[in-house]
Amino acid sequence: MNSFVRIILPACFAVAAISVTASAQAQSADTSFFLTSNGIGNGGNLGGLAGADNHCQTLAQAAGAGGKTWRAYLSTQAADGAPAVNARDRIGKGPWKNAKGAVVAKDVADLHSANGLTKQSALSEKGEVINGRGDTPNRHDVLTGSQADGTAFTPETDRTCKNWTSSTQGAAMLGHSDRMGLRDDDASKSWNSSHPSRGNDGGCSQADLKSTGGDGLLYCFAAN
């Protein structure tokens, strides 16, 4: 190989590598929705809404999409004089795109009707598909604390692990990120309101969340 070829080939590879990196960064920067690749690891105790939002922001930052304000899709229930918070009211207006640039919902109304969320589109911040029903381990149970329309539950029955501060007693409403469950009904196919958590520790421990096919994962939306 002559000296000219030896110089040109490395230069070509360098240009290609820069092009691929730039494309990946641009794609990440355009991301406005993801399903977390991991949970906080403390069951339903997320440190409240602030802790959950921080988890979304941290993962987005690591993936190159930290230039937005990220919010976890979570509701809280009225308690101790504080009003309920609806998940649908804290995530912005949309549209929301996954890490591959596909629109999962055009706006809040679309998100809570015939949205584009499936196992293949509910990607992590890394652009990866999260395990669902039939995979080992199944991780499709996502914390939401919400009714199907994205609103909070009334305070009589805990559906938010004590507003995301408990890793023992209580329960959390879960959605199925792969839109699959034990039955062929609306609840089993619901991305945000399929069934409450349960388990030997009371319902909100990390072990309890894993026991029904979850891992304490969250939906994260760019609110701006």
Side-chain angles (χ1 to χ4, degrees):
M1 184 181 295
N2 62 43
S3 59
F4 177 77
V5 172
R6 284 198 298 271
I7 293 171
I8 292 299
L9 284 179
C12 290
F13 287 128
V15 170
I18 291 171
S19 176
V20 170
T21 300
S23 175
Q25 289 176 341
Q27 186 181 76
S28 296
D30 197 39
T31 303
S32 49
F33 161 84
F34 62 87
L35 174 57
T36 59
S37 59
N38 57 73
I40 289 177
N42 196 25
N45 184 355
L46 309 176
L49 291 178
D53 290 346
N54 182 66
H55 187 55
C56 288
Q57 195 75 43
T58 300
L59 293 180
Q61 182 73 37
K68 301 179 176 71
T69 299
W70 289 88
R71 300 271 173 76
Y73 182 92
L74 295 172
S75 295
T76 60
Q77 296 169 263
D80 302 322
V85 174
N86 301 320
R88 64 180 292 142
D89 297 334
R90 60 190 318 270
I91 58 172
K93 298 180 179 180
W96 295 284
K97 297 180 181 180
N98 66 16
K100 300 297 184 184
V103 175
V104 297
K106 296 178 293 185
D107 51 35
V108 173
D110 184 38
L111 180 64
H112 295 94
S113 55
N115 63 48
L117 281 171
T118 65
K119 179 182 179 180
Q120 299 303 318
S121 67
L123 301 174
S124 76
E125 75 281 359
K126 302 175 183 178
E128 299 171 341
V129 174
I130 300 296
N131 279 9
R133 182 169 169 76
D135 298 325
T136 304
N138 179 11
R139 305 172 77 213
H140 75 170
D141 283 351
V142 183
L143 299 171
T144 71
S146 302
Q147 301 185 82
D149 64 355
T151 59
F153 286 89
T154 55
E156 290 80 17
T157 304
D158 186 11
R159 287 292 180 265
T160 59
C161 291
K162 300 187 183 303
N163 284 338
W164 314 114
T165 63
S166 172
S167 58
T168 52
Q169 297 299 314
M173 181 54 69
L174 308 166
H176 286 165
S177 61
D178 59 356
R179 315 297 289 268
M180 295 178 64
L182 297 175
R183 299 174 299 280
D184 185 20
D185 59 12
D186 290 342
S188 296
K189 296 175 184 178
S190 176
W191 69 278
N192 69 337
S193 197
S194 185
H195 62 86
S197 62
R198 56 190 180 274
N200 296 330
D201 296 330
C204 290
S205 73
Q206 190 70 12
D208 286 344
L209 298 181
K210 288 186 174 184
S211 72
T212 58
D215 204 11
L217 304 186
L218 305 170
Y219 294 116
C220 299
F221 290 81
N224 59 337

